[in-house]
Amino acid sequence: MDVVPLNLCMIAAYYYINYTTIELFSMSLNAKTKVRGLIEIISNVAEYENIPIRHHEDNLLRQLLNNPKFNDPHIKTNLLLQAHLSSMQLSAELRSDMEEILSKAIWFIQSCVDVLSSNGWLGPALAGMELAQMVTQQLTHFTSKHIKCCTDKGVESVFDIMEMEDEERNTLLQLTDSQITNVACFCNCYPNIEVSYEVVDKDKEEVTGHIIKREEGWWVVIGDAKSNSLIFIKRLTLQQKDTLDFVVPATGAYSYTLYFMSDTYMGCDQEYKFSMDVKEAEKDSDSD
């Protein structure tokens, strides 16, 4: 008698997460889950049950959200995740709690992506990838005030900041020299990616892609946005040329989108639409 682990078991083992956590993901995630829902689901994992609750934190937490259950570590986790995404200033104690939460959050998000992709749900899987970027990427010294100033000036991406003249950038950001140096370091590490692909017409349809990139992790996803169907997913960590082998449901014409998604940086994702016309394989005729 052979014993084979189920898919959820393998995901839990890979990310070292509690069996009740993977069960929560399996029961809570669905084809319509969005970023807000992902945050709520992740906040309720068993691993966050020991987040400390301090009596004097009520007023601070109430400023984040007027919720009566401030003695619930999962509510606090949710609030601190949202505070992180909003770049809110927190006390030293809350910052320490938030760092503990963030140190585990990326693993929960990636395991959610695996559960969602196993079910073939494209939209929620992409939302999970975007949440991974939001949790990981924080542009040093940038506040909501800086973001508004940049937006008002038409500066909407890291590349826009990099292309500005030094004097113009300094005037816009109003940061100290050391802070500007930190921002420059972040911008210089921001990935500049080139993706090329082609549909190879062989006995079976394959997509070959050549990706030039850095050491960060990336997802390559092929899906049908109209039907919210995820057809193929693969994680890449090294520069490589790869053949993506996936199965289409039947013969016919298909229009798919190839998504190249970062697990770290926002704003560098790429999408490419391509079409496939899958025909019946020709049968070999017997020779006389």
Side-chain angles (χ1 to χ4, degrees):
M1 176 178 170
D2 295 330
V3 178
V4 179
L6 298 177
N7 184 56
L8 291 176
C9 176
M10 290 189 288
I11 294 174
Y14 182 82
Y15 293 105
Y16 296 97
I17 59 179
N18 194 294
Y19 75 95
T20 60
T21 295
I22 198 66
E23 183 180 17
L24 171 69
F25 293 164
S26 177
M27 295 177 61
S28 303
L29 296 169
N30 58 62
K32 297 182 179 180
T33 301
K34 298 186 177 356
V35 170
R36 182 180 294 274
L38 282 167
I39 294 174
E40 183 174 348
I41 292 168
I42 291 166
S43 299
N44 282 284
V45 301
E47 288 82 349
Y48 287 147
E49 289 179 355
N50 294 324
I51 295 297
I53 301 294
R54 305 177 187 91
H55 294 296
H56 62 277
E57 290 177 345
D58 288 8
N59 292 332
L60 293 174
L61 295 175
R62 191 170 285 107
Q63 293 175 15
L64 302 178
L65 180 66
N66 188 16
N67 190 301
K69 297 182 180 179
F70 291 120
N71 60 342
D72 186 336
H74 301 295
I75 296 295
K76 179 176 178 178
T77 298
N78 192 322
L79 294 176
L80 291 182
L81 281 173
Q82 294 188 50
H84 171 71
L85 299 180
S86 303
S87 300
M88 295 183 65
Q89 298 297 318
L90 300 174
S91 67
E93 289 179 330
L94 288 179
R95 282 201 307 272
S96 176
D97 295 337
M98 186 169 67
E99 289 172 2
E100 180 182 350
I101 291 168
L102 294 176
S103 67
K104 302 174 183 177
I106 189 63
W107 301 110
F108 300 137
I109 296 170
Q110 291 185 358
S111 59
C112 282
V113 171
D114 285 0
V115 173
L116 291 164
S117 59
S118 299
N119 285 281
W121 296 326
L122 176 63
L126 295 177
M129 297 171 194
E130 292 171 355
L131 180 58
Q133 299 170 5
M134 295 163 65
V135 166
T136 305
Q137 177 179 325
Q138 290 289 314
L139 187 50
T140 309
H141 307 306
F142 263 58
T143 64
S144 56
K145 179 181 178 181
H146 290 104
I147 295 173
K148 184 179 186 307
C149 290
C150 289
T151 304
D152 292 342
K153 292 290 185 180
V155 178
E156 299 180 348
S157 70
V158 171
F159 294 112
D160 291 337
I161 295 175
M162 296 171 66
E163 291 171 0
M164 297 175 69
E165 296 294 335
D166 291 346
E167 184 177 348
E168 182 184 10
R169 186 188 304 113
N170 293 339
T171 302
L172 175 65
L173 300 181
Q174 295 291 310
L175 298 174
T176 65
D177 291 343
S178 61
Q179 290 173 333
I180 285 289
T181 300
N182 291 337
V183 171
C185 289
F186 175 89
C187 293
N188 290 333
C189 292
Y190 193 81
N192 188 6
I193 312 150
E194 297 178 11
V195 178
S196 61
Y197 73 96
E198 62 178 341
V199 179
V200 182
D201 186 10
K202 294 183 178 179
D203 294 338
K204 56 184 178 181
E205 298 291 339
E206 299 174 336
V207 177
T208 298
H210 186 208
I211 301 166
I212 302 173
K213 61 187 181 54
R214 301 180 60 87
E215 292 293 328
E216 297 82 13
W218 305 86
W219 283 284
V220 177
V221 179
I222 295 175
D224 183 352
K226 290 185 178 179
S227 63
N228 193 29
S229 300
L230 189 149
I231 310 299
F232 173 91
I233 184 171
K234 185 172 186 178
R235 277 185 62 81
L236 302 174
T237 56
L238 300 175
Q239 179 173 329
Q240 64 189 86
K241 183 175 182 178
D242 207 348
T243 298
L244 313 181
D245 188 5
F246 62 96
V247 179
V248 294
T251 59
Y254 297 90
S255 296
Y256 289 139
T257 302
L258 186 152
Y259 302 87
F260 186 60
M261 306 287 292
S262 170
D263 68 355
T264 305
Y265 294 99
M266 299 179 65
C268 58
D269 302 330
Q270 301 183 35
E271 297 182 14
Y272 303 91
K273 296 186 182 299
F274 67 95
S275 299
M276 304 173 65
D277 189 6
V278 182
K279 303 184 185 310
E280 290 281 358
E282 295 181 1
K283 295 182 180 180
D284 295 333
S285 57
D286 296 331
S287 55
D288 294 335

